[in-house]
Amino acid sequence: MARYLGPACRICRRQGMKLFLKGTKCMTEKCPFNKRGFAPGQHGQNRRIKVSDYGLQLREKQKVRRIYGVMENQFRSYFKEADRKKGITGDALLRILESRLDNVIYRLCFADSRTESRHLIRHGHFQVNGKKVSIPSFLVRPGDVISVRSKSLKVERIQASFSAVDRRGVPSWLEVDKPEVKASVKYLPAREEIALPVREQLIVELYSK
């Protein structure tokens, strides 16, 4: 199955909440969700659907998938990996997703959105521990150092996004060295450090059937 290439705002409208898929634009008055915060389609504004327990679980799973930009098969493999780990499966699942390189680049303000982050990574603008990495799904570990390649320091999209690092802020589990334009992973985040409006337990219930 191919990656979704349609309007990102349509996904937010379907979920009934902002997923911040378009970065800074989602925080401005130009965000289409502000004008049309109802479900897409001809009857979206008047549609009243009673959602079953399964529907709630499925919608929560789709929400997390779309936030991180992960396809179904890959998301399922992440769940299996999380299920094998000790502790709470839902927490482990979010921790794995947060440790993806495309998410880390976004969290570090090297990109304006996760979609832009994947684009920049695929074009080889970043390196981990001194080695170029062009795989968005690469999983970082505590102690890893992420930096912009020297020839990519003048890329306008990276400069514009990184200039907002003070305004956007960086999670406590990451540490940024602004003068050197690099960062390090101090540790992987606990659930309370992942500020996402998701109910991961519903995803665990869905895959446990």
Side-chain angles (χ1 to χ4, degrees), residues 57 60-61 75 79 82-83 88-93 199-209:
Q57 295 165 357
E60 204 68 19
K61 186 260 292 184
F75 190 85
F79 179 82
D83 196 34
I88 302 174
T89 301
D91 292 1
L93 174 62
R199 294 175 289 175
E200 61 276 6
Q201 182 56 34
L202 293 179
I203 302 173
V204 176
E205 293 172 4
L206 175 67
Y207 282 125
S208 298
K209 291 181 177 181

PDB file of all heavy atoms in Angstrom, residues 57 60-61 75 79 82-83 88-93 199-209:
ATOM      1  N   GLN A  57     -11.363   2.129  19.091  1.00  0.00           N
ATOM      2  CA  GLN A  57     -10.015   1.552  19.100  1.00  0.00           C
ATOM      3  C   GLN A  57      -9.336   1.750  17.754  1.00  0.00           C
ATOM      4  O   GLN A  57      -8.157   2.136  17.681  1.00  0.00           O
ATOM      5  CB  GLN A  57     -10.098   0.061  19.438  1.00  0.00           C
ATOM      6  CG  GLN A  57     -10.603  -0.229  20.841  1.00  0.00           C
ATOM      7  CD  GLN A  57     -11.014  -1.675  21.023  1.00  0.00           C
ATOM      8  OE1 GLN A  57     -10.979  -2.468  20.078  1.00  0.00           O
ATOM      9  NE2 GLN A  57     -11.419  -2.030  22.235  1.00  0.00           N
ATOM     10  N   GLU A  60      -8.327   5.401  17.223  1.00  0.00           N
ATOM     11  CA  GLU A  60      -7.145   5.777  18.007  1.00  0.00           C
ATOM     12  C   GLU A  60      -5.870   5.277  17.348  1.00  0.00           C
ATOM     13  O   GLU A  60      -4.866   5.972  17.294  1.00  0.00           O
ATOM     14  CB  GLU A  60      -7.274   5.227  19.425  1.00  0.00           C
ATOM     15  CG  GLU A  60      -6.472   5.978  20.468  1.00  0.00           C
ATOM     16  CD  GLU A  60      -7.006   7.378  20.711  1.00  0.00           C
ATOM     17  OE1 GLU A  60      -8.173   7.652  20.368  1.00  0.00           O
ATOM     18  OE2 GLU A  60      -6.244   8.209  21.250  1.00  0.00           O
ATOM     19  N   LYS A  61      -5.948   4.049  16.824  1.00  0.00           N
ATOM     20  CA  LYS A  61      -4.784   3.484  16.124  1.00  0.00           C
ATOM     21  C   LYS A  61      -4.460   4.303  14.880  1.00  0.00           C
ATOM     22  O   LYS A  61      -3.296   4.629  14.614  1.00  0.00           O
ATOM     23  CB  LYS A  61      -5.057   2.031  15.747  1.00  0.00           C
ATOM     24  CG  LYS A  61      -3.872   1.297  15.137  1.00  0.00           C
ATOM     25  CD  LYS A  61      -3.960   1.213  13.633  1.00  0.00           C
ATOM     26  CE  LYS A  61      -5.104   0.293  13.224  1.00  0.00           C
ATOM     27  NZ  LYS A  61      -5.152   0.123  11.748  1.00  0.00           N
ATOM     28  N   PHE A  75       3.564  -0.337  11.565  1.00  0.00           N
ATOM     29  CA  PHE A  75       2.979  -0.044  12.869  1.00  0.00           C
ATOM     30  C   PHE A  75       2.719  -1.330  13.640  1.00  0.00           C
ATOM     31  O   PHE A  75       2.977  -1.407  14.842  1.00  0.00           O
ATOM     32  CB  PHE A  75       1.665   0.722  12.689  1.00  0.00           C
ATOM     33  CG  PHE A  75       1.109   1.268  13.967  1.00  0.00           C
ATOM     34  CD1 PHE A  75       1.528   2.486  14.459  1.00  0.00           C
ATOM     35  CD2 PHE A  75       0.157   0.556  14.688  1.00  0.00           C
ATOM     36  CE1 PHE A  75       1.011   2.999  15.643  1.00  0.00           C
ATOM     37  CE2 PHE A  75      -0.366   1.045  15.866  1.00  0.00           C
ATOM     38  CZ  PHE A  75       0.067   2.274  16.344  1.00  0.00           C
ATOM     39  N   PHE A  79       4.223  -2.647  17.252  1.00  0.00           N
ATOM     40  CA  PHE A  79       3.413  -3.141  18.372  1.00  0.00           C
ATOM     41  C   PHE A  79       3.944  -4.485  18.872  1.00  0.00           C
ATOM     42  O   PHE A  79       4.029  -4.723  20.085  1.00  0.00           O
ATOM     43  CB  PHE A  79       1.950  -3.275  17.952  1.00  0.00           C
ATOM     44  CG  PHE A  79       1.079  -3.806  19.057  1.00  0.00           C
ATOM     45  CD1 PHE A  79       0.590  -2.956  20.041  1.00  0.00           C
ATOM     46  CD2 PHE A  79       0.780  -5.167  19.134  1.00  0.00           C
ATOM     47  CE1 PHE A  79      -0.184  -3.455  21.082  1.00  0.00           C
ATOM     48  CE2 PHE A  79       0.009  -5.663  20.165  1.00  0.00           C
ATOM     49  CZ  PHE A  79      -0.479  -4.809  21.140  1.00  0.00           C
ATOM     50  N   ALA A  82       6.952  -3.858  20.900  1.00  0.00           N
ATOM     51  CA  ALA A  82       6.589  -3.273  22.189  1.00  0.00           C
ATOM     52  C   ALA A  82       5.998  -4.321  23.120  1.00  0.00           C
ATOM     53  O   ALA A  82       6.233  -4.300  24.337  1.00  0.00           O
ATOM     54  CB  ALA A  82       5.587  -2.139  21.980  1.00  0.00           C
ATOM     55  N   ASP A  83       5.240  -5.257  22.551  1.00  0.00           N
ATOM     56  CA  ASP A  83       4.597  -6.300  23.349  1.00  0.00           C
ATOM     57  C   ASP A  83       5.622  -7.245  23.962  1.00  0.00           C
ATOM     58  O   ASP A  83       5.364  -7.875  25.003  1.00  0.00           O
ATOM     59  CB  ASP A  83       3.616  -7.072  22.464  1.00  0.00           C
ATOM     60  CG  ASP A  83       2.637  -7.900  23.278  1.00  0.00           C
ATOM     61  OD1 ASP A  83       2.258  -7.456  24.382  1.00  0.00           O
ATOM     62  OD2 ASP A  83       2.251  -8.995  22.817  1.00  0.00           O
ATOM     63  N   ILE A  88       4.625  -1.611  30.423  1.00  0.00           N
ATOM     64  CA  ILE A  88       3.336  -1.353  29.782  1.00  0.00           C
ATOM     65  C   ILE A  88       3.512  -1.280  28.268  1.00  0.00           C
ATOM     66  O   ILE A  88       4.304  -0.477  27.766  1.00  0.00           O
ATOM     67  CB  ILE A  88       2.729  -0.040  30.318  1.00  0.00           C
ATOM     68  CG1 ILE A  88       2.573  -0.114  31.841  1.00  0.00           C
ATOM     69  CG2 ILE A  88       1.390   0.245  29.657  1.00  0.00           C
ATOM     70  CD1 ILE A  88       2.126   1.177  32.478  1.00  0.00           C
ATOM     71  N   THR A  89       2.773  -2.099  27.558  1.00  0.00           N
ATOM     72  CA  THR A  89       2.928  -2.199  26.103  1.00  0.00           C
ATOM     73  C   THR A  89       2.660  -0.873  25.402  1.00  0.00           C
ATOM     74  O   THR A  89       3.391  -0.476  24.497  1.00  0.00           O
ATOM     75  CB  THR A  89       1.989  -3.281  25.541  1.00  0.00           C
ATOM     76  OG1 THR A  89       2.293  -4.546  26.162  1.00  0.00           O
ATOM     77  CG2 THR A  89       2.150  -3.414  24.036  1.00  0.00           C
ATOM     78  N   GLY A  90       1.595  -0.178  25.805  1.00  0.00           N
ATOM     79  CA  GLY A  90       1.261   1.100  25.163  1.00  0.00           C
ATOM     80  C   GLY A  90       2.367   2.122  25.317  1.00  0.00           C
ATOM     81  O   GLY A  90       2.691   2.844  24.369  1.00  0.00           O
ATOM     82  N   ASP A  91       2.965   2.188  26.498  1.00  0.00           N
ATOM     83  CA  ASP A  91       4.067   3.126  26.730  1.00  0.00           C
ATOM     84  C   ASP A  91       5.261   2.771  25.858  1.00  0.00           C
ATOM     85  O   ASP A  91       5.919   3.642  25.287  1.00  0.00           O
ATOM     86  CB  ASP A  91       4.482   3.105  28.204  1.00  0.00           C
ATOM     87  CG  ASP A  91       3.398   3.677  29.114  1.00  0.00           C
ATOM     88  OD1 ASP A  91       2.333   4.060  28.599  1.00  0.00           O
ATOM     89  OD2 ASP A  91       3.615   3.729  30.331  1.00  0.00           O
ATOM     90  N   ALA A  92       5.560   1.470  25.777  1.00  0.00           N
ATOM     91  CA  ALA A  92       6.694   1.005  24.973  1.00  0.00           C
ATOM     92  C   ALA A  92       6.475   1.321  23.493  1.00  0.00           C
ATOM     93  O   ALA A  92       7.409   1.687  22.779  1.00  0.00           O
ATOM     94  CB  ALA A  92       6.900  -0.494  25.171  1.00  0.00           C
ATOM     95  N   LEU A  93       5.228   1.199  23.037  1.00  0.00           N
ATOM     96  CA  LEU A  93       4.912   1.491  21.638  1.00  0.00           C
ATOM     97  C   LEU A  93       5.192   2.959  21.313  1.00  0.00           C
ATOM     98  O   LEU A  93       5.852   3.272  20.315  1.00  0.00           O
ATOM     99  CB  LEU A  93       3.450   1.165  21.356  1.00  0.00           C
ATOM    100  CG  LEU A  93       2.926   1.542  19.967  1.00  0.00           C
ATOM    101  CD1 LEU A  93       3.677   0.785  18.883  1.00  0.00           C
ATOM    102  CD2 LEU A  93       1.424   1.267  19.871  1.00  0.00           C
ATOM    103  N   ARG A 199      -4.894   7.743  23.444  1.00  0.00           N
ATOM    104  CA  ARG A 199      -5.179   6.727  24.459  1.00  0.00           C
ATOM    105  C   ARG A 199      -4.612   5.408  23.952  1.00  0.00           C
ATOM    106  O   ARG A 199      -5.296   4.622  23.321  1.00  0.00           O
ATOM    107  CB  ARG A 199      -6.673   6.644  24.712  1.00  0.00           C
ATOM    108  CG  ARG A 199      -7.272   7.909  25.344  1.00  0.00           C
ATOM    109  CD  ARG A 199      -8.774   7.816  25.464  1.00  0.00           C
ATOM    110  NE  ARG A 199      -9.410   7.894  24.159  1.00  0.00           N
ATOM    111  CZ  ARG A 199     -10.727   7.739  23.960  1.00  0.00           C
ATOM    112  NH1 ARG A 199     -11.515   7.498  24.983  1.00  0.00           N
ATOM    113  NH2 ARG A 199     -11.234   7.828  22.742  1.00  0.00           N
ATOM    114  N   GLU A 200      -3.348   5.198  24.232  1.00  0.00           N
ATOM    115  CA  GLU A 200      -2.648   4.038  23.689  1.00  0.00           C
ATOM    116  C   GLU A 200      -3.225   2.707  24.158  1.00  0.00           C
ATOM    117  O   GLU A 200      -3.057   1.679  23.492  1.00  0.00           O
ATOM    118  CB  GLU A 200      -1.159   4.115  24.022  1.00  0.00           C
ATOM    119  CG  GLU A 200      -0.809   4.116  25.499  1.00  0.00           C
ATOM    120  CD  GLU A 200      -0.890   5.494  26.131  1.00  0.00           C
ATOM    121  OE1 GLU A 200      -1.318   6.438  25.455  1.00  0.00           O
ATOM    122  OE2 GLU A 200      -0.525   5.609  27.309  1.00  0.00           O
ATOM    123  N   GLN A 201      -3.931   2.704  25.304  1.00  0.00           N
ATOM    124  CA  GLN A 201      -4.518   1.464  25.795  1.00  0.00           C
ATOM    125  C   GLN A 201      -5.558   0.921  24.828  1.00  0.00           C
ATOM    126  O   GLN A 201      -5.738  -0.293  24.696  1.00  0.00           O
ATOM    127  CB  GLN A 201      -5.155   1.701  27.180  1.00  0.00           C
ATOM    128  CG  GLN A 201      -5.757   0.461  27.819  1.00  0.00           C
ATOM    129  CD  GLN A 201      -4.766  -0.688  27.967  1.00  0.00           C
ATOM    130  OE1 GLN A 201      -3.581  -0.458  28.201  1.00  0.00           O
ATOM    131  NE2 GLN A 201      -5.238  -1.911  27.809  1.00  0.00           N
ATOM    132  N   LEU A 202      -6.245   1.815  24.103  1.00  0.00           N
ATOM    133  CA  LEU A 202      -7.225   1.371  23.106  1.00  0.00           C
ATOM    134  C   LEU A 202      -6.545   0.626  21.967  1.00  0.00           C
ATOM    135  O   LEU A 202      -7.115  -0.311  21.412  1.00  0.00           O
ATOM    136  CB  LEU A 202      -7.993   2.587  22.553  1.00  0.00           C
ATOM    137  CG  LEU A 202      -8.913   3.321  23.543  1.00  0.00           C
ATOM    138  CD1 LEU A 202      -9.571   4.507  22.841  1.00  0.00           C
ATOM    139  CD2 LEU A 202      -9.963   2.379  24.101  1.00  0.00           C
ATOM    140  N   ILE A 203      -5.327   1.031  21.636  1.00  0.00           N
ATOM    141  CA  ILE A 203      -4.575   0.345  20.570  1.00  0.00           C
ATOM    142  C   ILE A 203      -4.167  -1.046  21.037  1.00  0.00           C
ATOM    143  O   ILE A 203      -4.238  -2.025  20.289  1.00  0.00           O
ATOM    144  CB  ILE A 203      -3.326   1.166  20.189  1.00  0.00           C
ATOM    145  CG1 ILE A 203      -3.725   2.571  19.732  1.00  0.00           C
ATOM    146  CG2 ILE A 203      -2.524   0.464  19.100  1.00  0.00           C
ATOM    147  CD1 ILE A 203      -2.570   3.509  19.499  1.00  0.00           C
ATOM    148  N   VAL A 204      -3.760  -1.136  22.302  1.00  0.00           N
ATOM    149  CA  VAL A 204      -3.388  -2.445  22.866  1.00  0.00           C
ATOM    150  C   VAL A 204      -4.602  -3.367  22.849  1.00  0.00           C
ATOM    151  O   VAL A 204      -4.495  -4.548  22.481  1.00  0.00           O
ATOM    152  CB  VAL A 204      -2.862  -2.270  24.309  1.00  0.00           C
ATOM    153  CG1 VAL A 204      -2.573  -3.638  24.922  1.00  0.00           C
ATOM    154  CG2 VAL A 204      -1.604  -1.406  24.321  1.00  0.00           C
ATOM    155  N   GLU A 205      -5.764  -2.837  23.211  1.00  0.00           N
ATOM    156  CA  GLU A 205      -6.988  -3.653  23.210  1.00  0.00           C
ATOM    157  C   GLU A 205      -7.331  -4.101  21.789  1.00  0.00           C
ATOM    158  O   GLU A 205      -7.784  -5.238  21.583  1.00  0.00           O
ATOM    159  CB  GLU A 205      -8.136  -2.837  23.802  1.00  0.00           C
ATOM    160  CG  GLU A 205      -7.985  -2.529  25.274  1.00  0.00           C
ATOM    161  CD  GLU A 205      -9.028  -1.549  25.792  1.00  0.00           C
ATOM    162  OE1 GLU A 205      -9.927  -1.181  24.989  1.00  0.00           O
ATOM    163  OE2 GLU A 205      -8.961  -1.165  26.964  1.00  0.00           O
ATOM    164  N   LEU A 206      -7.120  -3.228  20.810  1.00  0.00           N
ATOM    165  CA  LEU A 206      -7.432  -3.563  19.423  1.00  0.00           C
ATOM    166  C   LEU A 206      -6.578  -4.717  18.923  1.00  0.00           C
ATOM    167  O   LEU A 206      -7.089  -5.677  18.333  1.00  0.00           O
ATOM    168  CB  LEU A 206      -7.215  -2.332  18.543  1.00  0.00           C
ATOM    169  CG  LEU A 206      -7.389  -2.536  17.026  1.00  0.00           C
ATOM    170  CD1 LEU A 206      -8.835  -2.855  16.695  1.00  0.00           C
ATOM    171  CD2 LEU A 206      -6.925  -1.312  16.258  1.00  0.00           C
ATOM    172  N   TYR A 207      -5.270  -4.646  19.168  1.00  0.00           N
ATOM    173  CA  TYR A 207      -4.369  -5.688  18.673  1.00  0.00           C
ATOM    174  C   TYR A 207      -4.360  -6.937  19.542  1.00  0.00           C
ATOM    175  O   TYR A 207      -3.778  -7.959  19.160  1.00  0.00           O
ATOM    176  CB  TYR A 207      -2.949  -5.142  18.583  1.00  0.00           C
ATOM    177  CG  TYR A 207      -2.692  -4.271  17.367  1.00  0.00           C
ATOM    178  CD1 TYR A 207      -2.194  -2.986  17.484  1.00  0.00           C
ATOM    179  CD2 TYR A 207      -2.948  -4.762  16.088  1.00  0.00           C
ATOM    180  CE1 TYR A 207      -1.955  -2.196  16.374  1.00  0.00           C
ATOM    181  CE2 TYR A 207      -2.712  -3.992  14.971  1.00  0.00           C
ATOM    182  CZ  TYR A 207      -2.225  -2.707  15.111  1.00  0.00           C
ATOM    183  OH  TYR A 207      -1.983  -1.930  14.004  1.00  0.00           O
ATOM    184  N   SER A 208      -4.993  -6.879  20.695  1.00  0.00           N
ATOM    185  CA  SER A 208      -5.007  -8.038  21.593  1.00  0.00           C
ATOM    186  C   SER A 208      -6.213  -8.949  21.339  1.00  0.00           C
ATOM    187  O   SER A 208      -6.361  -9.961  22.010  1.00  0.00           O
ATOM    188  CB  SER A 208      -5.022  -7.567  23.048  1.00  0.00           C
ATOM    189  OG  SER A 208      -3.861  -6.829  23.356  1.00  0.00           O
ATOM    190  N   LYS A 209      -7.064  -8.579  20.395  1.00  0.00           N
ATOM    191  CA  LYS A 209      -8.256  -9.393  20.115  1.00  0.00           C
ATOM    192  C   LYS A 209      -7.899 -10.668  19.362  1.00  0.00           C
ATOM    193  O   LYS A 209      -6.959 -10.691  18.589  1.00  0.00           O
ATOM    194  CB  LYS A 209      -9.260  -8.574  19.301  1.00  0.00           C
ATOM    195  CG  LYS A 209      -9.876  -7.433  20.096  1.00  0.00           C
ATOM    196  CD  LYS A 209     -10.883  -6.663  19.287  1.00  0.00           C
ATOM    197  CE  LYS A 209     -11.534  -5.571  20.109  1.00  0.00           C
ATOM    198  NZ  LYS A 209     -12.543  -4.805  19.356  1.00  0.00           N
TER     199      LYS A 209
END
